[in-house]
Each structure stands twice: as structure tokens, then as C-alpha cells.
Amino acid sequence: MAEQTAPPVIRDGAPAKPDAAVVRDALGVGVAVGLSGFAFGVTSAGSGLSVLQTCVLSLLVFTGASQFALVGALAAGGNPFTAAAGAFFLGTRNAFYGLRLSQLLAVPKAVRPFAAHWVIDETTAVSLAQPTRRAARIGFTVTGLTLYVLWNATTLLGALGAEAIGDTAAWGLDAAGPAVFLALLALMLKSATERATAAIAVLLGLGLLPVLPAGVPVLAAALAAPLVLWFQGRRTAPAGREKDSR
């Protein structure tokens, strides 16, 4: 009961946001990103997955960047286990989103398993942008529902229309999903540490792409975070020792 009757939590003294404005913003994100499911359906079918496999992947996984990483690695001839591992580790970011959203949304326990399936980049971005818990809940729900319905509907259309489109590489549709993910991520890189981590991850991924099997560069790019943390520790350690010696 404490979770259901939690206060609205107005952050930073911001005024309450009208529900209509929250719904409008959430619909904008949900529709814009949901339509890119068509690109995933085409890319997935072009990589050799059946229409059924493609649709089940969107229904059950429902995290675009990981889905594109999986089918992209398969299309490049990568090992299925390596491709799945890369997609899995890329999807672990949603677990960290969930830790933050669980405090912000404070949904009842019975709803949490269903809400967890919608914890993705877009719902997190919309929810965290709201000034109150009520607005965050509305933003999360509208974004998640709109995106889930559209993403799966357009995935089906893309998979069915893959043969009519032909070579997906010629259209560049396989880049649509990652481009949307990067656009959302760029807005969240506010500190120097975050920007440095992203830059090193890009360098690792692109630099190792020609020499490692498909799917492995994605895993190697995850080393950017511990590298940046280690470097920061090396920089702060001398300052700490100097302070102790005084």
C-alpha cells in the first residue's frame, strides 16, 4: 500500500506537467521509433530468419538495439552463440534502467513483471524527463504501449515485405535501428566520463570489426567502461596520497 500511495515527487521544484502534454510527447517518441520496426523486420528476414522467428523475437525480446545486433551478426556470418551473447550484453543496460525506474514509478508488485518488459531506452528517456511520478507513469505507459504495438506490427510488415524490397543492404535499412539508438543515447551523454566511455567504445567496436568475428566487437566495446574507470582511478590516486601526506 505504501507504494501505491507514494507522494507525487516533484523534482527540482518543477511544476506539474499537464497529462495531455505528457501523452503528446510519449506518442511522438512511440510512433517515431515504432515505425523503425519495419526496418528490423526486413533486416531480420534478409539475415535468414523466418517471419515467425522475426515476430517472436520482437514480441519477446523487444529491445531494438539488441535485436539489430543479433540479426546483423547473423547476416555477417557470425556464430549464433556469439551473436546471441552480443545481443544479451547489449540488452543488460535495461536492467540498470529498471533500477532507476523502479524507484521513480513505484508500480505495484503485481504489475512489475509486465512493466519490466517495457523498460527500454525510449520509455526510460520519456519517464525520466517528467517532473512528477504521475507524469512519469503516464509517459512510461503511453510510450511503452504505443511502441510495443507499432514495433511488432511493423516488424511483421517488414518481414512479409522483405522479398519485395530485395537487397536490404542497398537500402541501408539495417542502419535505421542503430541510428535511432545512437540519437537517444547522445542526449544522455552529459558528463565527460560518459562521453569518453562512448568514444572509446566506438573506437574499440570499429577498430576490431575487421579482425574479429561478427558479434565479438560488440562484446569488446564493453571494455570501455572499466578502462575509463581505471584511468580515472589512476588520476585521482596521486591526489589522494598527496592529501594524506599533509
Side-chain angles (χ1 to χ4, degrees), residues 62 89 158 203:
F62 188 54
F89 282 107
L203 292 175

Side-chain angles (χ1 to χ4, degrees), residues 97-112:
Y97 294 160
L99 293 176
R100 178 67 183 92
L101 290 181
S102 65
Q103 299 175 352
L104 175 62
L105 301 177
V107 297
K109 290 184 178 180
V111 181
R112 289 178 187 175

Side-chain angles (χ1 to χ4, degrees), residues 121-221:
D121 303 300
E122 294 79 9
T123 55
T124 302
V126 172
S127 299
L128 294 180
Q130 307 309 320
T132 65
R133 174 169 288 134
R134 173 183 172 81
R137 286 175 170 177
I138 294 174
F140 178 86
T141 303
V142 175
T143 304
L145 179 61
T146 305
L147 186 50
Y148 190 75
V149 172
L150 278 180
W151 178 267
N152 284 283
T154 54
T155 292
L156 174 61
L157 292 176
L160 293 174
E163 294 183 0
I165 290 179
D167 184 12
T168 58
W171 290 81
L173 292 176
D174 55 335
V180 173
F181 173 72
L182 290 176
L184 290 168
L185 180 63
L187 298 176
M188 303 175 67
L189 301 178
K190 299 179 180 179
S191 69
T193 300
E194 293 168 347
R195 290 191 289 269
T197 303
I200 294 174
V202 170
L203 292 175
L204 285 173
L206 294 180
L208 296 174
L209 193 60
V211 297
L212 293 180
V216 177
V218 175
L219 300 177

Side-chain angles (χ1 to χ4, degrees), residues 48-60:
L49 272 66
S50 67
V51 174
L52 179 60
Q53 289 172 326
T54 298
C55 291
V56 169
L57 193 60
S58 276
L59 285 167
L60 300 183

